[in-house]
Amino acid sequence: MTPEARDVLLVIDVQVDFLPGGTLAVPKGDAVVGPVNRLLGLFPHAVLTQDWHPPGHVSFASSHPGRAPFDTVALAYGPQMLWPEHCVQGSAGAALAPGLAADRAELVIRKGHHPGVDSYSAFLEADRRTPTGLAGYLRERGFTRVVLCGLATDHCVAWSARDARAAGLEALVVADAVRGIDRDGSVERAWGDMAAAGVGRIMSGAIGGG
Ligand code: VGL
Ligand code: ZN
């Protein structure tokens, strides 16, 4: 494919805490930076997301005495997996990955900032009711297709891609420009769920200049 005027590149959560050495490191998460930078050079329009939690966020295991990271707890909006503290607003770990060629991005959308609600998705928070505003932004700008890359395949990328479809957008995930956390087969499951939602899969080598 060749990026067209209707296309926007959506770069999900390429942040220090999700890279090796970070508090919620995605295995080989740093391997996405090269392909993502190439894509940033090819797409005329790009939007980035940043996971952006206040201290004491409900998704942190440390906010639930007696619980450990990767436990699941029942919250009012449903089951919530607990995580190590990560991407705390303004912290070094919340910064975009050094070396990410992000200068031309037209919007950075920050998500997960409500203290009591998580948000994997760039579109809709985990209560499945609170919009981030991204769907309206993309609609107003006339974009009809999102091409997704970044971290993590099985959480923020998958939920963003599925919600893009629910928002009436075409969605493609760049398979070699994403990496997953992958617990208990979650990456394979995420690809199945995305396919069922009509999300396409493409390799970055199949994307070129016009
Ligand atoms: C993410 C878990 C918690 C992600 C964010 O970016 O996929 N995963 N917060
Ligand atoms: Zn998070």
Side-chain angles (χ1 to χ4, degrees):
M1 71 166 286
T2 300
E4 302 164 26
R6 69 191 185 101
D7 291 319
V8 62
L9 183 70
L10 186 52
V11 180
I12 304 291
D13 295 3
V14 182
Q15 289 169 267
V16 169
D17 271 342
F18 296 125
L19 303 182
T23 61
L24 182 43
V26 177
K28 300 199 169 75
D30 52 334
V32 306
V33 175
V36 168
N37 282 348
R38 179 173 168 273
L39 295 170
L40 282 164
L42 289 173
F43 279 76
H45 305 288
V47 168
L48 314 183
T49 68
Q50 256 180 320
D51 212 35
W52 198 252
H53 301 307
H57 189 250
V58 72
S59 76
F60 297 166
S62 56
S63 305
H64 303 263
R67 297 298 190 148
F70 311 108
D71 284 355
T72 298
V73 293
L75 298 183
Y77 58 74
Q80 170 69 49
M81 183 168 279
L82 300 179
W83 305 102
E85 294 184 15
H86 64 280
C87 298
V88 174
Q89 296 171 352
S91 68
L96 295 170
L100 186 71
D103 290 354
R104 282 186 40 258
E106 294 164 2
L107 175 73
V108 179
I109 191 140
R110 290 170 165 174
K111 60 184 179 59
H113 50 76
H114 291 119
V117 186
D118 203 5
S119 190
Y120 297 149
S121 166
F123 292 91
L124 209 54
E125 300 195 16
D127 61 4
R128 313 308 295 148
R129 313 160 56 90
T130 307
T132 65
L134 181 58
Y137 173 87
L138 297 179
R139 190 181 319 117
E140 282 201 41
R141 295 210 46 206
F143 298 122
T144 58
R145 183 163 64 177
V146 293
V147 177
L148 296 100
C149 56
L151 303 170
T153 316
D154 37 351
H155 295 284
C156 293
V157 173
W159 278 102
S160 297
R162 294 168 65 180
D163 283 351
R165 296 289 300 139
L169 297 156
E170 288 179 56
L172 285 171
V173 172
V174 186
D176 56 323
V178 294
R179 289 293 185 281
I181 295 172
D182 205 15
R183 296 178 65 88
D184 307 319
S186 54
V187 164
E188 222 26 67
R189 221 166 30 246
W191 281 116
D193 291 342
M194 287 191 281
V199 176
R201 178 172 171 158
I202 192 170
M203 297 298 284
S204 65
I207 303 175

